Amino acid sequence: MTNRVDTASLQASLAEQGVKYAMASYVDIHGCVKGKFVPLDHLDNMFAGSELYTGAALDGVPQDISDNEVAAMPDPASATVCPWDTRLAWFAGDLHLDGAPFEACSRSILKRQLDRARAMGFTFNLGIETEFFLFRETEDGGFAPLSERDSLAKPCYDPRGLIDNLPIIDELVDAMNGLGWDVYSFDHEDANGQFETDFKFADALTMSDRFVFFRMMANEIARKHGAFASFMPKPYSDKTGSGAHYNMSLADAETGENLFAPDKGDPYGCGVSELGYQFIAGVLKHARAISAVIAPTVNSYKRLVRQGSMSGSTWAPVFACYGNNNRTNMIRIPGVGSRVECRAADIACNPYLGAALVLAAGLEGIENAMDAGEPHRENMYRYSDAEIDDMGVTMLPRTLGEAITDFEADPLARAVFGDRMFDAYVDFKRSEWESYHTAVSNWEIERYLKLF
């Protein structure tokens, strides 16, 4: 690797920017950044795989404590000077074991599917909408929005709540734009203390790198202001949760032309090409298994409900269906067309694993020329479960337990993840579900302790 990377030039460039330390990073099963720092003088060693990690010490890096360590091999294209502390430079990396790519590396799992797409003549473009909460800790050990004015029953798009949080949001947006991400919109979302930033799409690998870095960066910037950023999908039972909608399209690998643009026909009049509908059909076929990865926590399924928020609906899908500019479908085709949006993904996802499985499902739809069927343009929340069943529409899983069962039963999941990560994911998530299921909650105490 050192033969292919001009580490001397990279080191000099980083030094000119005031960098002292470089981080060879990777992610665990949650998509949380892990890594070690090396002094910049040792950058060449880092690129040679000097930074070794005991996988068994982390969630979902499937190794035994007796196994050889994995090495983080940095991607030079991902070099990022940390805006909150310019002494630090972050590198996304792939895990290697014994000199070869480690099968169960999240980033490598996505790269395998991107290679498959490229062999079919496609590149996969992805934009992820980042919804998150900004909170302060309270004296009773709880949490609350930073602003006392952020108390509306319907706070969506409220400029007052946004203005009161602007010291953090402004620094975050400046940081994102300084990194070249091109933020084009940000707002107060539909729950108190909830915000969203929207920035330009990129190839799926770059976007996934940016997503995991964003979560780390938002937390570090919030900490400077005495706050913390939360990426829990639904911290309030009576308010909306945080999605991470995947906005997806395939481009011609040679020309970059958007192949979802309906230039040569739009079979169902929703604004995408026949190729786009085939992609949608593949995603819908595997929707229940996909849910286990893009909605990966116990808490995720408290977001994927029809009702429950203070503004009357959750804005989250519960059915595996698609439509036009209709936010009650799992797959929405925005009014501008030429892309498809998966609305089931939430902010707690591991984007490498989520993008890999969604892409694999979409490619299967294309390979088999699958038909997406007629779109749903109506409010899907208004149908009863019986009506949905009569329509032949599949419901998304209602719990993490259901989702993992469907993930385990879907051959595509093992094919994409590989045996080691597939088994590790199923074991970890099943254990997570069982741990939650056997825990006694405050709701149970309040309801049953003195009932009888």
Side-chain angles (χ1 to χ4, degrees):
M1 185 127 184
T2 50
N3 293 332
R4 298 194 299 271
V5 178
D6 185 355
T7 54
S9 295
L10 181 56
Q11 180 178 328
S13 174
L14 293 173
E16 287 178 3
Q17 298 175 71
V19 171
K20 294 178 62 177
Y21 307 109
M23 179 181 182
S25 82
Y26 57 100
V27 299
D28 63 8
I29 201 170
H30 310 294
C32 293
V33 171
K34 304 295 179 180
K36 296 180 181 179
F37 291 99
V38 302
L40 198 58
D41 288 345
H42 292 270
L43 192 68
D44 55 345
N45 293 331
M46 189 179 85
F47 272 90
S50 66
E51 301 318 296
L52 302 176
Y53 303 90
T54 303
L58 299 173
D59 289 341
V61 179
Q63 283 197 298
D64 200 332
I65 56 175
S66 58
D67 291 341
N68 287 343
E69 296 98 333
V70 288
M73 304 299 291
D75 181 346
S78 69
T80 304
V81 178
C82 296
W84 67 91
D85 188 340
T86 56
R87 296 172 299 172
L88 310 177
W90 174 84
F91 289 86
D94 304 319
L95 292 177
H96 282 218
L97 176 64
D98 297 330
F102 182 51
E103 177 199 15
C105 168
S106 295
R107 196 170 189 263
S108 297
I109 287 170
L110 174 57
K111 289 170 74 173
R112 289 199 292 270
Q113 293 307 309
L114 296 175
D115 288 343
R116 178 183 166 208
R118 182 167 286 277
M120 296 172 65
F122 307 133
T123 57
F124 182 40
N125 288 325
L126 179 63
I128 303 181
E129 302 170 33
T130 47
E131 296 180 351
F132 60 101
F133 287 85
L134 290 175
F135 291 133
R136 59 180 172 86
E137 295 178 346
T138 57
E139 292 182 358
D140 60 359
F143 60 89
L146 301 181
S147 168
E148 293 182 357
R149 294 199 297 174
D150 195 353
S151 59
L152 295 177
K154 292 189 176 184
C156 198
Y157 311 131
D158 177 35
R160 295 171 300 176
L162 181 59
I163 289 168
D164 289 351
N165 285 267
L166 200 57
I168 298 175
I169 300 295
D170 176 58
E171 185 171 346
L172 180 60
V173 170
D174 276 351
M176 295 166 74
N177 283 333
L179 296 172
W181 295 9
D182 191 13
V183 176
Y184 56 84
S185 179
F186 58 94
D187 66 87
H188 193 299
E189 280 294 296
D190 202 30
N192 305 112
Q194 186 185 34
F195 303 91
E196 177 180 325
T197 60
D198 297 316
F199 53 102
K200 187 174 175 60
F201 70 88
D203 66 273
L205 187 64
T206 297
M207 180 54 61
S208 297
D209 290 342
R210 290 177 176 176
F211 183 88
V212 299
F213 185 81
F214 174 87
R215 289 192 298 208
M216 180 172 68
M217 177 168 64
N219 250 321
E220 294 303 315
I221 290 174
R223 285 182 68 249
K224 292 172 59 177
H225 296 267
F228 68 94
S230 176
F231 301 97
M232 182 178 181
K234 193 172 171 68
Y236 295 112
S237 61
D238 60 349
K239 299 177 177 63
T240 54
S242 291
H245 303 151
Y246 287 11
N247 289 271
M248 305 173 289
S249 63
L250 293 177
D252 186 290
E254 299 299 325
T255 67
E257 175 190 1
N258 182 359
L259 299 177
F260 281 8
D263 296 340
K264 299 178 182 178
D266 181 350
Y268 292 112
C270 289
V272 294
S273 65
E274 184 176 8
L275 193 80
Y277 290 110
Q278 292 171 352
F279 186 95
I280 290 170
V283 173
L284 295 180
K285 176 184 175 182
H286 296 281
R288 287 181 64 89
I290 290 170
S291 292
V293 185
I294 63 174
T297 72
V298 167
N299 183 251
S300 297
Y301 294 87
K302 299 181 179 183
R303 171 181 168 264
L304 297 178
V305 294
R306 298 182 210 186
Q307 298 293 325
S309 76
M310 292 178 68
S311 40
S313 66
T314 64
W315 303 97
V318 292
F319 309 113
C321 53
Y322 89 99
N324 60 329
N325 194 25
N326 176 358
R327 288 170 171 81
T328 66
N329 292 299
M330 176 190 180
I331 301 294
R332 166 181 171 249
I333 301 172
V336 295
S338 302
R339 71 175 190 270
V340 301
E341 177 188 76
C342 177
R343 297 182 59 78
D346 71 43
I347 199 66
C349 73
N350 179 330
Y352 302 108
L353 298 181
L357 191 54
V358 171
L359 174 58
L363 293 178
E364 181 183 303
I366 292 170
E367 288 174 327
N368 296 310
M370 294 171 63
D371 183 6
E374 290 291 334
H376 290 273
R377 303 176 189 272
E378 69 275 32
N379 184 345
M380 298 298 291
Y381 293 152
R382 293 177 177 170
Y383 290 115
S384 68
D385 290 354
E387 289 171 325
I388 290 293
D389 189 57
D390 289 341
M391 295 164 63
V393 173
T394 301
M395 290 196 71
L396 294 176
R398 296 190 179 188
T399 67
L400 179 62
E402 281 186 30
I404 289 301
T405 296
D406 286 297
F407 177 85
E408 188 173 22
D410 193 327
L412 183 66
R414 183 180 289 275
V416 171
F417 276 45
D419 289 339
R420 292 184 74 168
M421 180 58 94
F422 176 86
D423 291 339
Y425 197 84
V426 169
D427 290 347
F428 187 91
K429 290 299 176 180
R430 198 170 295 288
S431 175
E432 184 176 343
W433 171 246
E434 290 173 357
S435 177
Y436 166 75
H437 210 55
T438 56
V440 177
S441 67
N442 288 336
W443 182 92
E444 293 169 278
I445 297 293
E446 293 171 1
R447 189 175 184 90
Y448 300 126
L449 188 64
K450 297 181 179 179
L451 176 64
F452 304 101

